[in-house]
């Protein structure tokens, strides 16, 4: 009996050490920021999406998937990152205001709600009417509660529609300014004539729920032409532009025609 108790304690201690090492790993990670332009189908710049590049000092050449990073860090760290991102965007305010373009920032549902209690973030948001938050995880709450809790964050975007998390139930529960269609859905539907027709009808339906649809992951000229001939409002992807350092922000304003 005593042997089992000692074994249990050793296992618990080992698990605690592993947990501590993992927590230390994520705390040591470093962040850099780039952006990807979002272009209207007429070629004019609509917005930029802020992207997070995550690395660890032990292997700085290896990029850690941002989704994995944000799933592993604490709520407090997520709030710190949002404040860090907004502070960076504020440095480019003259460009966003002068050229009337938007900047989108990814955030999950719980973090968005936690921002209500973080005054430094609220202060920044009030000074940055050109910032939009992209919900990467739909909040499953009653409509009235959700809408009441979101008003102070301005118009919201829905990210990755068609991935299984963001679906039509999200559209019926809450009004979004713009909805972003995931590349996987776009590519799947454009493989057949029937799928292309369905894609057109899908976007027409989605346009009833928002100001416009943004297609993600456009990687070829043919894909871009398909988006331009569809009911989409805008698109982003490697064909239009790869991620760019913020120092080159003003260059993209005259890049696509």
């Amino acid at each position: 009996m005593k042997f089992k108790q000692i074994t249990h304690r050793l296992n618990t201690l080992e698990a605690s050490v592993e947990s501590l090492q993992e927590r230390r790993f994520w705390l040591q990670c470093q962040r850099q920021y780039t952006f990807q332009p979002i272009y209207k189908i007429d070629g004019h710049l609509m917005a930029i999406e802020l992207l997070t590049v995550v690395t660890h000092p032990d292997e700085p050449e290896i990029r850690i998937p941002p989704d994995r990073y944000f799933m592993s860090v604490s709520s407090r760290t997520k709030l710190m990152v949002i404040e860090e991102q907004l502070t960076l965007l504020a440095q480019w305010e003259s460009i966003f205001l002068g050229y009337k373009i938007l900047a989108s920032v990814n955030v999950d549902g719980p973090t968005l709600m936690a921002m209500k209690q973080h005054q430094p973030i609220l202060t920044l948001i009030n000074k940055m009417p050109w910032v939009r938050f992209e919900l990467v995880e739909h909040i499953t709450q009653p409509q009235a509660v959700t809408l009441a809790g979101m008003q102070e964050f301005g118009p919201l975007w829905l990210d990755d529609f068609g991935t299984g998390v963001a679906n039509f139930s999200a559209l019926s529960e809450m009004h979004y300014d713009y909805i972003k269609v995931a590349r996987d859905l776009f590519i799947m539907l454009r493989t057949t004539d029937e799928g292309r027709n369905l894609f057109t009808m899908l976007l027409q339906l989605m346009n009833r729920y928002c100001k416009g649809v943004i297609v993600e992951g456009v990687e070829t000229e043919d894909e871009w032409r398909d988006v331009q001939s569809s009911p989409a409002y805008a698109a982003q992807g490697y064909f239009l532009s790869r991620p760019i350092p913020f120092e080159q922000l003003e260059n993209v304003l005259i890049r696509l025609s």
Side-chain angles (χ1 to χ4, degrees):
M1 188 70 173
K2 290 183 179 179
F3 179 74
K4 289 184 178 180
Q5 290 177 340
I6 292 174
T7 301
H8 176 72
R9 289 174 183 173
L10 288 175
N11 290 338
T12 301
L13 178 60
E14 184 177 347
S16 298
V17 171
E18 289 180 358
S19 177
L20 182 61
Q21 289 174 337
E22 182 178 2
R23 197 176 314 127
R24 183 181 296 115
F25 174 88
W26 294 115
L27 286 173
Q28 290 172 340
C29 283
Q30 298 173 341
R31 298 175 298 276
Q32 292 180 313
Y33 299 108
T34 59
F35 71 90
Q36 189 172 40
I38 301 171
Y39 289 101
K40 301 177 187 177
I41 58 172
D42 64 4
H44 289 90
L45 185 65
M46 169 198 174
I48 63 102
E49 178 184 357
L50 185 148
L51 303 175
T52 306
V53 178
V54 183
T55 57
H56 190 274
D58 289 346
E59 296 179 302
E61 72 284 356
I62 298 178
R63 293 190 175 188
I64 298 170
D67 290 351
R68 183 184 173 198
Y69 172 75
F70 286 112
M71 286 177 59
S72 303
V73 299
S74 66
S75 298
R76 181 178 180 181
T77 298
K78 291 179 184 179
L79 290 173
M80 180 188 69
V81 171
I82 293 293
E83 184 176 349
E84 184 177 83
Q85 293 173 337
L86 293 175
T87 301
L88 168 65
L89 290 172
Q91 299 175 22
W92 303 94
E93 179 180 37
S94 60
I95 290 181
F96 291 111
L97 291 177
Y99 291 93
K100 297 180 180 179
I101 59 175
L102 304 173
S104 71
V105 176
N106 291 290
V107 62
D108 62 48
T111 302
L112 189 69
M113 298 306 291
M115 285 161 49
K116 290 168 59 68
Q117 309 300 324
H118 195 84
Q119 191 56 48
I121 289 179
L122 296 179
T123 300
L124 284 166
I125 292 173
N126 289 334
K127 296 177 181 179
M128 304 165 70
W130 36 269
V131 166
R132 297 291 182 269
F133 289 101
E134 288 188 31
L135 273 178
V136 296
E137 175 185 310
H138 181 62
I139 300 175
T140 53
Q141 292 184 359
Q143 183 178 14
V145 175
T146 301
L147 290 174
M150 301 293 186
Q151 290 177 349
E152 61 215 88
F153 301 116
L156 297 175
W157 294 8
L158 180 62
D159 193 25
D160 281 341
F161 181 90
T163 59
V165 177
N167 51 42
F168 275 105
S169 65
L171 305 189
S172 62
E173 292 174 15
M174 187 169 165
H175 177 76
Y176 292 93
D177 211 32
Y178 289 93
I179 299 172
K180 301 179 80 172
V181 171
R183 172 174 171 79
D184 288 348
L185 178 61
F186 171 51
I187 294 303
M188 180 186 70
L189 291 178
R190 71 185 298 272
T191 55
T192 64
D193 290 339
E194 183 180 5
R196 289 171 185 264
N197 292 333
L198 181 58
F199 180 70
T200 297
M201 291 188 290
L202 175 64
L203 265 59
Q204 289 173 338
L205 178 61
M206 293 172 66
N207 280 328
R208 299 179 185 179
Y209 292 91
C210 63
K211 286 185 178 179
V213 177
I214 301 169
V215 179
E216 298 179 293
V218 175
E219 296 185 356
T220 68
E221 184 174 359
D222 285 345
E223 292 173 7
W224 172 231
R225 298 308 173 200
D226 282 351
V227 171
Q228 287 184 303
S229 61
S230 77
Y233 181 80
Q236 69 182 109
Y238 282 1
F239 174 74
L240 302 173
S241 175
R242 288 182 174 271
I244 302 171
F246 268 88
E247 290 72 22
Q248 299 179 27
L249 176 58
E250 200 158 9
N251 294 343
V252 305
L253 301 171
I254 56 174
R255 202 163 158 192
L256 193 67
S257 61

